[in-house]
Amino acid sequence: MKIAILGTGSWGSAIAQVLADNSNEVIMYGIEKSEIDDINAGYNKKYFGDLVLAKGISATSDLSFALDGAKLLVIAVPTKFVSSVLESARPYIGKDMLVVNVSKGFDPNTNNRMSDTVRRVIGDIVTTPVVSVIGPSHAEEVILRRLTSLCAVSVDASAARRVQEIFSNNYIRLYVNTDEIGAEYGSAMKNVIALASGMLVGQGFGDNAKAALVTRGLAEMTRYTLAKGGDAKTLMGLTGVGDLVVTCFSEHSRNYQAGLYIGKENGTKEFFEKNQKTVEGIYSCKVVYEDLANYDFEMPITSELYKILYKNKRPSDALGDIMSRPLKDEN
């Protein structure tokens, strides 16, 4: 089967290899000539050095060529580009094409979940339901074929099962989940907590503090997801606890690394001056914080992180304010 992937970054490349390992013809679309040339030579050196990619993967800057005859489309670009790239791809998308999103976060144009954005842009073209493949995963491990479990998430269980079968192999195992709201909010919000986790370490704190942060962060994620209509059980699964753990405790996480930098500097000024990477949790924090005005509950970790990122509050002051909050029952 021919599969088109929008994006030539690290996650798109890792997903491409999974699908090529499963005997599919994979063609990636990108705009960076160096990445395209590398992929066509069997590498993606920007992200993976001299690691040789699986055979059956090619790349192009021609959208029509990439999508021509493709039976499955994978969206693997940062959230801020999903809408514009899909708009460009519209003329070449077939109505029976199975559409899979692997981007996590919120659309910066609408603050919507990514599956809603996909439906908004191409929902009048495709007749198949959107499926999101999300869960605890780092491209740096998937590209090495290390064991990973993800979720195929869709409101349509049959579509999710089709994707489950296409992606799964001896090192990638997919589970089906139909709670699209819970899964997508969980995968987006864990980036917020991962930023805070990095900041804790940057401030010199250890495992006790991180354990407390992850636990209370999960409480905030669950509170908010329930308010949006998601299922609390989903937050106990791969797109909740699983995604939270992998981002809060791993050096591969961009959100954790961003938080670590900010924590060490005890401020954001230098980070924002130098950072050139996509850190999804920064915008996700803004979306959730601003939406809190519509609800009657608190999310202190998210709120303090927003003040650090957007109001120049020092992480040390934010930690002090959290620890001095009125004492409460856990539940």
Side-chain angles (χ1 to χ4, degrees):
M1 174 170 59
K2 180 180 177 180
I3 296 174
I5 296 182
L6 301 180
T8 53
S10 58
W11 192 223
S13 297
I15 291 293
Q17 179 159 274
V18 171
L19 296 169
D21 283 346
N22 293 354
S23 302
N24 295 291
E25 174 195 352
V26 182
I27 183 162
M28 305 175 70
Y29 164 79
I31 58 174
E32 295 291 337
K33 185 176 185 302
S34 59
E35 292 178 19
I36 292 168
D37 290 344
D38 264 357
I39 291 167
N40 285 329
Y43 306 90
N44 195 334
K45 293 184 178 181
K46 179 178 179 179
Y47 300 101
F48 303 122
D50 292 330
L51 185 144
V52 179
L53 300 176
K55 292 184 178 180
I57 301 172
S58 61
T60 181
S61 59
D62 185 337
L63 260 177
S64 63
F65 179 73
L67 272 66
D68 183 38
K71 302 298 183 183
L72 187 147
L73 173 65
V74 178
I75 305 161
V77 294
T79 55
K80 64 181 179 179
F81 298 124
V82 168
S83 181
S84 59
V85 172
L86 284 179
E87 287 284 4
S88 299
R90 272 180 61 94
Y92 316 112
I93 294 175
K95 67 176 183 177
D96 296 325
M97 192 177 287
L98 187 58
V99 179
V100 173
N101 168 64
V102 299
S103 299
K104 304 175 184 179
F106 299 108
D107 185 335
N109 301 305
T110 63
N111 295 348
N112 287 340
R113 294 180 289 109
M114 297 318 300
S115 60
D116 283 336
T117 291
V118 175
R119 282 188 287 265
R120 175 178 61 83
V121 179
I122 61 171
D124 61 327
I125 299 174
V126 295
T127 57
T128 55
V130 179
V131 181
S132 292
V133 172
I134 48 181
S137 51
H138 291 305
E140 293 84 355
E141 292 195 10
V142 173
I143 202 71
L144 296 175
R145 299 180 175 89
R146 292 181 176 172
L147 299 182
T148 302
S149 288
L150 300 166
C151 278
V153 182
S154 177
V155 294
D156 187 299
S158 62
R161 289 193 182 94
R162 286 175 61 194
V163 171
Q164 178 187 43
E165 294 171 357
I166 293 168
F167 276 70
S168 295
N169 57 30
N170 64 343
Y171 64 92
I172 295 286
R173 180 177 175 86
L174 266 63
Y175 290 83
V176 167
N177 190 324
T178 56
D179 178 21
E180 184 183 85
I181 294 174
E184 290 192 60
Y185 274 113
S187 282
M189 290 178 64
K190 53 83 182 174
N191 288 329
V192 178
I193 308 305
L195 274 166
S197 178
M199 287 184 201
L200 273 181
V201 177
Q203 287 278 297
F205 295 96
D207 293 343
N208 291 357
K210 280 201 292 184
L213 173 76
V214 169
T215 306
R216 298 313 303 164
L218 179 62
E220 290 193 13
M221 289 167 58
T222 304
R223 201 176 302 149
Y224 186 70
T225 298
L226 285 171
K228 304 305 286 188
D231 190 332
K233 290 186 295 184
T234 301
L235 275 296
M236 296 299 108
L238 291 167
T239 57
V241 171
D243 234 346
L244 188 61
V245 169
V246 84
T247 52
C248 286
F249 289 87
S250 174
E251 63 182 16
H252 294 313
S253 168
R254 289 184 182 182
N255 292 279
Y256 175 87
Q257 288 294 338
L260 183 66
Y261 193 110
I262 293 168
K264 287 180 177 178
E265 295 295 321
N266 202 28
T268 59
K269 184 175 183 296
E270 186 171 321
F271 172 78
F272 283 128
E273 287 175 350
K274 294 183 176 181
N275 178 60
Q276 295 183 341
K277 295 181 179 179
T278 299
V279 182
E280 296 284 5
I282 293 174
Y283 186 72
S284 294
C285 180
K286 183 175 186 289
V287 171
V288 176
Y289 176 81
E290 292 178 349
D291 192 35
L292 274 179
N294 297 309
Y295 302 98
D296 61 354
F297 55 80
E298 295 180 312
M299 296 176 64
I301 297 170
T302 303
S303 297
E304 289 297 329
L305 187 62
Y306 174 86
K307 294 170 188 175
I308 293 169
L309 295 171
Y310 294 97
K311 300 295 183 181
N312 297 317
K313 188 170 186 176
R314 295 191 305 173
S316 57
D317 293 336
L319 284 167
D321 287 346
I322 284 180
M323 293 303 291
S324 62
R325 283 169 52 81
L327 301 176
K328 297 182 178 182
D329 293 344
E330 183 177 29
N331 297 319

